[in-house]
Amino acid sequence: AILVFVVLFVIVLNTVGEYSSQDAGNALCKMAAPQTACLRDGREVLIEAAALVVGDVVVVKAGDVVPADMVILEAIDLKTNEAVLTGESSEVTKSTEPPRDATAPFKSNMLYSSTEVISGFGKAEVTDTGMCTQVGLIAKRLGQNKSITEKNPLMSAVNKLASYLALVLALVILCATLVAFGTGYQDPQKPCAEKDEVCFLKTAVLRAVVMSVALIPHGLPFICTVMLYVGSQGISKRQGLVMKVSAVDYLAATTVICSDKTGTLTEGRMSASVVLGFCQDEATRASGSSARESSLSFYPLKGLSPNGGIFSSNEVSQKHKDQMEKDFEATSHRQNFSQPGLRDLGVFSERSEAMKEGSLDALLAGIHMAMAFLACHGTSLVKSDAWEAKGNPTEVAVKVAAAKAGFWEEHGDGRLPPVGSLRGMYPRQEALEIPFNNVRKMAASIHEIPQTASNSSSELATSLKFPEDATHFAILKGAPEKIFEAVGAMPLLREGTLELPGRELVEADQALLKQRNMDLAQQALRSLLVAVRPLISADMERLRSASSADDRLAVVLKTPKMLCPLSLWGIYDPPRASVPGSIEKCRKAGIQVKMITGDQQATAAAIGAQIGILDETCGEDCTILCEKLHESSGQESAKSRRISRRASEILRQTQEAAKGGRKSQSSLHPPGVAGRGSRRLSVHDKRGPADFHEPEFRSEEELQELIGKVRCFARALPSDKVAIVDSLMASGEVVAMTGDGVNDAPALKSANVGVAMGITGTAVTQNASDLVLMDDNFSTIVLAVEEGRRIFGNVQKYVTASLSLKFGEMLTLMLAILLGIVSPLKPTVQLLNLFLTHVLCTWSFAFEEAEEYIMSIPPRDVKKDLVLNRTLVLYRWLPFVLYFPIIVYSSLCFGTLGLVGSVSNTKLLGSGRQIDLEEGRSLCEHAGWETEDGYKLDPRPFHCQCRVHEKGNPWLPASTFDQWGTTEQFTVDGDFQPLLHSKLFARSGWNQGLIASCSQPEHKEKWCWAEHVMTSSRPILPEGASCVEYGVKVGQSMSLVTIMLGEVLSLLSFRRDRSLSWALFRNPFYNLSFVMNICMMLLLVYSRKLSSVLDLVPLSPLQFLVAMTLALTMLLLNELAKFFYRWQLSRDHEALRQVK
């Protein structure tokens, strides 16, 4: 009853935990804009967003949430955050112009519902509202719930195993009943009366039922629940929060991980990876050749942390990077990452030393970082509990890089020059600022050149030389393709100083700049060019008199020969350092990793190659645009919507541009020809008028063919992610899907395991997930998979051990019936051992450590999974079931043969025939009496004759021990030993006139009580007083010790696939169970009251030693079988790797 209560209690808790607080739909609704500014009758009014209709013109500004899908009519520096739809947190520039990138799923001339306006102002006309919007499509997919009765792979496997066990149980009950009833098998201590068929049938059925009940793995539901819970706790210790306990098993069976890029595979923060510098020296100036180059790399890249080094790119190696990862201290502001043969140029002392040696990289490192710090004045980097930054993500990346050279608002450890003096030396002319906008694609700040000698002694002043008549300088930063058009000079390196403006830019220099910019793009790096222009007094006068930012920019760009390109930055969201190793770990574990991103195809391919998703075996078809999954575009129709002619024209142009961008895309079938095949995926649902915006997907077969060979998906829509997940699951894969944005929520909900981000993840995504990564790290998923596999491996070990013990006991009892020997265990003792050993001791399996090979083999096949596999059955289960009865019978025989002389059930039962004792067919004689119904046998014997060996050892000489019945009244205690009371049952007090041959001819060979002998005065052996009963109790007590000790020791062997010595003391929960089991065993055998109730007797030291030795033999045989199991297991694993 207690066990049932515990199981039901845990089930209720799991159900509540799995299905509460997971309403993703409600969380999505909270993201919608409550009110919006709309033009009605020519006036701007504030209305409820739900009241918007198609054709309304909405006014949006910074801080607004877009209320509907809209086409932009007017935009002034308009930027939005579309992370809700794309998962990418970077700002998106919006304009009225047709989108340049035709492959982009979300167009630059459209605003989308629930996205945020970051800056600027705009007017837009509503084209779609409610469920017709892109976010409405997400809501639609979120409404497709999984069945509450869906079974995880472990539940399915356990159910299959249970069905087979049910069949075995039925056969056991049937066979045991028929054999016991047919042979008249009985308990020698409590036999049925002769010819009492009802008693025979009742005891046979009861014995079979008890035998079958012991075969049922009662603890399996409880142990599985405990193990899954322990697994969820183990994952939580590895930075994963399990929302549904069933996710632990799905993780163990995962075959494909579909991962979002930003924040999961990458750091989630833009970081400067490399900065390129260009200059001329006297040699190149004289020859007219292209400029000299400098390349600096930043490592490690840890988000906003300035704790990273700056190195010459040609000097830093992977070995250096590995050492830096090892030495990295998360709490440090700035470490010196210099190594033998590698200088950290971000450290002032190291940079100064390298400059003395004439290092161009060292010289430019100081100049690049100082100029970058001055240029990114609109961003801030401060340290509170963690590093925090405010401002444009690209500028933040440059600001963090500058901080690695000591340039930050709080200069930290004081080893580097204080930044406050740098801003003081080069004060910014705020009134002359040129801000960034969508047209200019660049920004500029004006700074004063120090004139005093004290200021000119700074590092920047000594490294960078301006013309003598220059009073100020401008720092331009922006899109390289825009600034390239304006630069006309190249810095000149002379006598360890960089002179500006240097010499005139030549054609070779222009080609070099453009080539390096293209190289950065091919590496999926976002480029930013920083240029510098000296300004004289006349220039400053024109700047002050300029009426607008565009006029001021014209002044700066007016004289190209004065504008010099200083540094070309390569910026990107870097992969997490642990990701490549984790992906390699997945590859060895037979798990495919697929990346799904909203980025461009080139960016997806570059990141995929860096982290190991793409390798040398991958062709171009390993990375595709998600539009290849579409049969055709959604049936956009401006006619069906009441929008203005201008909005209709903008939509038409956008659609034509998108079609043009898709012409080069290959297809699985000719254009215009619909693919044929099944359409059973969730994305193949029926479409209504509200679904015109949703793409039509290819058939199930086409999707499976295409998705199966692709590793990186670019430009993904939310519905594309659902299609990818559904297709993989339909192919038989167990899929884990990761994501952080609202756009990922439908795919997370559809996948076997939805994995949300804990830091950057939205409430919608987390509510739709099964697992939340508290550190947003892909490597945590791999650790969770490893934990899941550990738990399933422990379930396998538990089931193997439990069924081995149960089938071993069942076969032992079945053979006792078939062979006609005394049963080693009574039903009550058997059930007690079931609870003490099979349930209480096996729960410790949940805390076993993982086997070393679990992440080097492919996932299990959930379709064929029965928990047990062929190797476990043949090399672990079968050997144990075979040698278990032999060892138990050895213990039984030692105890019973040593004190009785036989273990034959027929002999032990005794007989009423006069010659059976003399001829050795019986050990006890019974008398009876004749009635009208026939001969009735007295259940108690009047005479027993045992062959008692010295010290109870059957290998030593034996003597005959006779016992005769008595009419004396005495108490037979639990520890009563008949062999010590020979005088009490001596023949001297026996009267031969008490029994005689029966009078009726058919009973003549049997003993009958004399007629004058009253029932109360019949001299019989009291219950428990015969040497036969005592010998049987000793044998069964020894069997219990052997079984309990042998089974608990066998559990020690079943715990690990490795040798016993390795696992001996590594599981404290098993150690506790072992001690408790041994204590209970000793209590059952040596406690007077308990042993009397259970028909057990205390054992002598020799008997206990023999029983314990046989138990240890069981352990040794199990270890021997495990040796062959490990050999076969290694062959199985190698075969699995070959198949995969």
Side-chain angles (χ1 to χ4, degrees):
I2 296 176
L3 184 60
V4 172
F5 171 77
V6 171
V7 172
L8 291 177
F9 179 72
V10 173
I11 289 174
V12 170
L13 285 182
N14 286 343
T15 302
V16 172
E18 293 215 6
Y19 296 101
S20 64
S21 301
Q22 296 204 2
D23 192 345
N26 284 343
L28 182 61
C29 290
K30 293 178 181 179
M31 300 184 67
Q35 292 182 322
T36 187
C38 177
L39 295 180
R40 293 284 173 89
D41 298 326
R43 294 183 299 107
E44 182 177 326
V45 295
L46 193 65
I47 67 171
E48 295 293 326
L52 284 175
V53 295
V54 173
D56 275 339
V57 176
V58 175
V59 179
V60 294
K61 58 184 181 300
D64 288 348
V65 176
V66 179
D69 285 4
M70 303 182 289
V71 60
I72 299 174
L73 304 178
E74 181 182 338
I76 301 175
D77 295 336
L78 187 60
K79 294 182 180 180
T80 63
N81 184 340
E82 295 182 346
V84 170
L85 299 175
T86 65
E88 306 295 330
S89 58
S90 57
E91 298 173 353
V92 180
T93 301
K94 295 293 184 176
S95 68
T96 58
E97 300 175 2
R100 294 183 179 182
D101 187 356
T103 65
F106 302 103
K107 310 305 179 185
S108 60
N109 60 350
M110 294 281 295
L111 296 177
Y112 296 97
S113 178
S114 298
T115 60
E116 298 178 64
V117 179
I118 302 300
S119 64
F121 169 86
K123 292 181 181 180
E125 184 173 336
V126 176
T127 59
D128 301 292
T129 61
M131 294 299 288
C132 295
T133 63
Q134 290 293 333
V135 77
L137 177 58
I138 295 175
K140 171 187 172 183
R141 294 297 174 204
L142 283 175
Q144 298 171 342
N145 295 318
K146 298 178 184 177
S147 171
I148 197 171
T149 59
E150 180 184 354
K151 297 181 178 66
N152 60 47
L154 180 59
M155 290 173 60
S156 300
V158 169
N159 286 348
K160 291 178 186 177
L161 181 64
S163 63
Y164 288 114
L165 287 178
L167 180 61
V168 173
L169 289 176
L171 292 175
V172 167
I173 293 175
L174 180 62
C175 294
T177 301
L178 293 177
V179 172
F181 183 75
T183 60
Y185 186 86
Q186 300 182 65
D187 184 354
Q189 300 176 54
K190 296 180 180 179
C192 293
E194 192 174 14
K195 296 183 180 181
D196 188 349
E197 304 294 338
V198 174
C199 180
F200 285 160
L201 181 61
K202 179 180 177 181
T203 55
V205 172
L206 181 60
R207 187 176 293 106
V209 169
V210 171
M211 191 185 306
S212 62
V213 167
L215 189 60
I216 299 173
H218 302 81
L220 184 57
F222 174 71
I223 296 296
C224 287
T225 302
V226 169
M227 287 191 177
L228 292 177
Y229 176 76
V230 169
S232 68
Q233 295 302 303
I235 292 174
S236 69
K237 294 178 182 177
R238 300 184 174 197
Q239 297 296 312
L241 176 62
V242 177
M243 306 292 284
K244 296 182 181 178
V245 178
S246 57
V248 177
D249 180 53
Y250 273 119
L251 286 166
T254 295
T255 59
V256 179
I257 299 176
C258 296
S259 179
D260 184 31
K261 176 183 72 70
T262 305
T264 307
L265 297 174
T266 63
E267 292 284 351
R269 293 278 187 179
M270 301 301 292
S271 298
S273 172
V274 64
V275 59
L276 306 178
F278 310 91
C279 67
Q280 291 284 355
D281 58 15
E282 293 296 340
T284 58
R285 183 179 186 182
S287 63
S289 59
S290 60
R292 288 181 61 182
E293 296 182 67
S294 166
S295 178
L296 299 172
S297 295
F298 302 90
Y299 202 86
L301 302 177
K302 301 292 184 179
L304 296 177
S305 173
N307 189 17
I310 306 173
F311 311 97
S312 297
S313 297
N314 60 350
E315 293 181 359
V316 64
S317 66
Q318 187 59 48
K319 182 179 180 181
H320 291 137
K321 292 180 179 180
D322 293 340
Q323 185 62 43
M324 284 185 269
E325 289 290 344
K326 183 178 179 181
D327 296 339
F328 181 81
E329 298 175 3
T331 58
S332 176
H333 279 212
R334 181 64 164 87
Q335 297 171 249
N336 187 343
F337 290 97
S338 297
Q339 300 177 38
L342 182 69
R343 273 180 171 158
D344 185 350
L345 300 179
V347 178
F348 181 71
S349 58
E350 298 282 351
R351 188 164 65 246
S352 300
E353 190 68 26
M355 288 174 62
K356 292 178 182 178
E357 299 173 4
S359 170
L360 176 62
D361 287 339
L363 174 68
L364 292 183
I367 297 174
H368 289 330
M369 300 307 118
M371 285 297 182
F373 178 81
L374 291 174
C376 299
H377 55 82
T379 61
S380 62
L381 178 68
V382 295
K383 176 71 180 294
S384 53
D385 293 335
W387 286 100
E388 298 177 357
K390 295 181 180 180
N392 180 277
T394 301
E395 290 193 11
V396 167
V398 176
K399 192 68 168 283
V400 171
K404 293 177 181 179
F407 300 105
W408 55 50
E409 282 77 3
E410 300 175 5
H411 60 83
D413 55 20
R415 292 182 302 169
L416 306 176
V419 171
S421 61
L422 183 66
R423 283 186 168 172
M425 285 188 295
Y426 300 93
R428 180 171 59 93
Q429 306 298 303
E430 187 174 354
L432 303 180
E433 191 77 19
I434 302 173
F436 181 93
N437 70 12
N438 299 333
V439 178
R440 290 190 286 268
K441 299 289 186 182
M442 67 181 76
S445 58
I446 310 300
H447 300 266
E448 185 179 346
I449 298 175
Q451 302 299 322
T452 62
S454 59
N455 284 345
S456 63
S457 62
S458 69
E459 179 186 7
L460 182 60
T462 57
S463 302
L464 191 64
K465 183 178 181 180
F466 292 101
E468 292 184 0
D469 58 345
T471 60
H472 294 75
F473 63 92
I475 306 176
L476 277 78
K477 62 178 184 294
E481 62 272 14
K482 285 286 187 179
I483 301 180
F484 281 162
E485 300 172 358
V487 296
M490 182 66 70
L492 178 64
L493 178 64
R494 184 185 303 184
E495 297 179 357
T497 303
L498 198 67
E499 296 182 1
L500 297 179
R503 71 154 219 199
E504 186 177 349
L505 201 70
V506 297
E507 187 176 343
D509 294 334
Q510 279 280 8
L512 176 64
L513 290 172
K514 293 179 179 179
Q515 181 59 48
R516 293 296 172 260
N517 187 49
M518 187 179 298
D519 292 343
L520 294 179
Q522 291 175 348
Q523 299 173 47
L525 298 178
R526 180 181 298 177
S527 55
L528 176 76
L529 183 64
V530 175
V532 179
R533 186 212 195 276
L535 298 170
I536 60 176
S537 298
D539 296 325
M540 292 302 297
E541 288 298 327
R542 286 192 289 271
L543 284 172
R544 292 187 181 100
S545 62
S547 60
S548 67
D550 287 334
D551 292 340
R552 290 194 294 274
L553 181 62
V555 173
V556 174
L557 301 180
K558 182 177 181 181
T559 311
K561 292 182 180 180
M562 297 297 290
L563 183 60
C564 302
L566 185 63
S567 52
L568 182 62
W569 292 77
I571 301 168
Y572 78 135
D573 184 5
R576 293 179 181 267
S578 59
V579 166
S582 297
I583 290 178
E584 176 62 19
K585 200 170 183 179
C586 286
R587 186 190 64 78
K588 292 180 179 180
I591 301 173
Q592 302 178 57
V593 180
K594 297 180 184 288
M595 183 173 69
I596 308 175
T597 178
D599 267 339
Q600 300 180 32
Q601 186 171 354
T603 303
I607 295 295
Q610 288 181 32
I611 61 180
I613 292 179
L614 302 179
D615 52 31
E616 62 277 359
T617 64
C618 295
E620 293 183 358
D621 57 349
C622 285
T623 304
I624 66 166
L625 294 170
C626 281
E627 63 181 24
K628 279 192 174 184
L629 307 178
H630 305 163
E631 189 70 59
S632 61
S633 297
Q635 300 299 315
E636 286 277 358
S637 175
K639 295 180 182 179
S640 62
R641 294 175 288 174
R642 299 176 60 185
I643 58 178
S644 67
R645 182 177 299 179
R646 181 183 176 188
S648 298
E649 181 62 21
I650 294 174
L651 287 177
R652 185 188 63 79
Q653 293 175 0
T654 302
Q655 292 170 18
E656 288 180 356
K659 291 177 181 178
R662 286 194 293 265
K663 288 179 180 178
S664 62
Q665 300 298 330
S666 60
S667 176
L668 293 178
H669 48 73
V673 179
R676 297 182 178 179
S678 305
R679 309 188 71 80
R680 298 171 295 186
L681 304 180
S682 63
V683 292
H684 290 140
D685 53 354
K686 293 181 180 180
R687 305 294 169 84
D691 300 320
F692 63 86
H693 60 299
E694 185 177 0
E696 188 72 31
F697 287 90
R698 297 180 185 273
S699 68
E700 182 178 336
E701 290 78 9
E702 288 176 320
L703 287 176
Q704 289 178 6
E705 177 186 351
L706 184 60
I707 292 171
K709 60 185 179 183
V710 175
R711 301 188 188 181
C712 294
F713 298 87
R715 293 304 194 193
L717 290 165
S719 55
D720 294 331
K721 299 181 180 183
V722 176
I724 293 168
V725 169
D726 282 359
S727 177
L728 290 169
M729 291 171 62
S731 302
E733 306 286 357
V734 178
V735 182
M737 174 71 199
T738 74
D740 55 356
V742 175
N743 62 314
D744 300 315
L748 264 63
K749 198 165 187 178
S750 179
N752 298 116
V753 185
V755 183
M757 303 299 109
I759 300 174
T760 60
T762 62
V764 178
T765 312
Q766 292 175 359
N767 286 350
S769 68
D770 306 298
L771 173 68
V772 177
L773 304 183
M774 304 310 294
D775 58 357
D776 288 10
N777 196 337
F778 176 84
S779 300
T780 303
I781 306 174
V782 182
L783 294 175
V785 169
E786 184 175 357
E787 183 68 17
R789 289 193 176 190
R790 180 186 76 87
I791 291 300
F792 180 77
N794 290 342
V795 170
Q796 275 191 314
K797 293 173 186 176
Y798 162 74
V799 172
T800 304
S802 180
L803 292 185
S804 297
L805 303 185
K806 293 177 183 301
F807 273 87
E809 290 185 12
M810 183 274 295
L811 184 60
T812 301
L813 300 178
M814 182 69 78
L815 287 175
I817 298 173
L818 291 172
L819 299 176
I821 60 179
V822 66
S823 174
L825 289 178
K826 290 183 176 295
T828 304
V829 177
Q830 182 184 1
L831 293 177
L832 186 60
N833 178 59
L834 165 70
F835 178 74
L836 293 176
T837 307
H838 297 199
V839 176
L840 293 185
C841 289
T842 52
W843 69 279
S844 62
F845 276 88
F847 303 94
E848 282 302 317
E849 298 176 12
E851 298 292 345
E852 66 277 4
Y853 59 77
I854 63 169
M855 291 301 286
S856 62
I857 58 173
R860 72 186 193 267
D861 186 350
V862 296
K863 294 180 181 178
K864 302 177 181 179
D865 185 24
L866 276 176
V867 183
L868 292 178
N869 55 43
R870 182 175 178 272
T871 301
L872 282 172
V873 171
L874 293 180
Y875 290 87
R876 298 304 304 273
W877 177 83
L878 185 59
F880 186 89
V881 171
L882 292 179
Y883 61 66
F884 184 87
I886 298 174
I887 294 175
V888 173
Y889 286 143
S890 298
S891 186
L892 173 73
C893 290
F894 185 93
T896 304
L897 281 176
L899 296 175
V900 177
S902 176
V903 292
S904 170
N905 198 60
T906 304
K907 292 183 179 181
L908 297 175
L909 283 170
S911 171
R913 289 169 55 87
Q914 299 177 16
I915 61 174
D916 282 352
L917 181 63
E918 296 177 5
E919 295 180 356
R921 291 195 293 268
S922 175
L923 297 178
C924 291
E925 292 182 298
H926 295 250
W929 58 90
E930 294 177 311
T931 65
E932 295 179 356
D933 298 328
Y935 180 77
K936 299 292 184 180
L937 188 69
D938 198 326
R940 297 302 306 165
F942 66 86
H943 176 212
C944 286
Q945 188 178 79
C946 300
R947 287 188 57 79
V948 181
H949 295 259
E950 294 181 13
K951 299 181 180 180
N953 186 345
W955 302 104
L956 296 179
S959 59
T960 301
F961 181 79
D962 274 297
Q963 280 185 301
W964 293 88
T966 179
T967 56
E968 294 184 20
Q969 298 295 323
F970 60 92
T971 303
V972 179
D973 297 326
D975 57 351
F976 180 80
Q977 297 186 32
L979 303 181
L980 302 179
H981 299 82
S982 56
K983 295 182 178 179
L984 187 62
F985 304 105
R987 187 172 183 177
S988 58
W990 181 260
N991 187 342
Q992 290 293 343
L994 296 175
I995 57 171
S997 298
C998 296
S999 59
Q1000 296 183 10
E1002 62 271 23
H1003 304 138
K1004 189 174 182 179
E1005 296 179 354
K1006 299 180 179 180
W1007 291 112
C1008 281
W1009 291 109
E1011 293 183 0
H1012 66 275
V1013 178
M1014 304 297 292
T1015 302
S1016 58
S1017 59
R1018 292 171 183 168
I1020 58 175
L1021 293 171
E1023 184 174 348
S1026 73
C1027 60
V1028 170
E1029 290 175 300
Y1030 178 72
V1032 170
K1033 288 180 180 180
V1034 170
Q1036 290 179 335
S1037 299
M1038 287 187 64
S1039 298
L1040 176 63
V1041 171
T1042 300
I1043 289 174
M1044 288 190 69
L1045 181 58
E1047 287 183 345
V1048 76
L1049 288 174
S1050 296
L1051 292 179
L1052 173 64
S1053 181
F1054 277 112
R1055 280 172 44 202
R1056 304 291 301 175
D1057 292 342
R1058 298 174 68 175
S1059 63
L1060 171 67
S1061 58
W1062 191 88
L1064 196 56
F1065 300 110
R1066 298 181 71 90
N1067 188 336
F1069 299 98
Y1070 169 81
N1071 298 337
L1072 176 63
S1073 300
F1074 178 83
V1075 172
M1076 291 176 59
N1077 189 271
I1078 298 303
C1079 291
M1080 287 302 302
M1081 178 193 70
L1082 295 174
L1083 192 64
L1084 294 177
V1085 174
Y1086 290 99
S1087 171
R1088 182 174 179 180
K1089 292 183 178 180
L1090 283 177
S1091 61
S1092 176
V1093 172
L1094 298 174
D1095 286 332
L1096 301 172
V1097 292
L1099 301 177
S1100 68
L1102 175 62
Q1103 291 164 344
F1104 186 84
L1105 179 62
V1106 170
M1108 188 173 64
T1109 302
L1110 289 170
L1112 290 172
T1113 303
M1114 191 182 301
L1115 172 63
L1116 295 177
L1117 289 175
N1118 212 16
E1119 285 294 300
L1120 180 62
K1122 195 161 66 175
F1123 172 80
F1124 294 101
Y1125 168 73
R1126 287 196 297 269
W1127 171 76
Q1128 181 61 38
L1129 190 65
S1130 63
R1131 297 181 61 188
D1132 292 347
H1133 290 170
E1134 186 60 34
L1136 285 172
R1137 295 186 190 103
Q1138 294 296 331
V1139 171
K1140 292 291 182 179

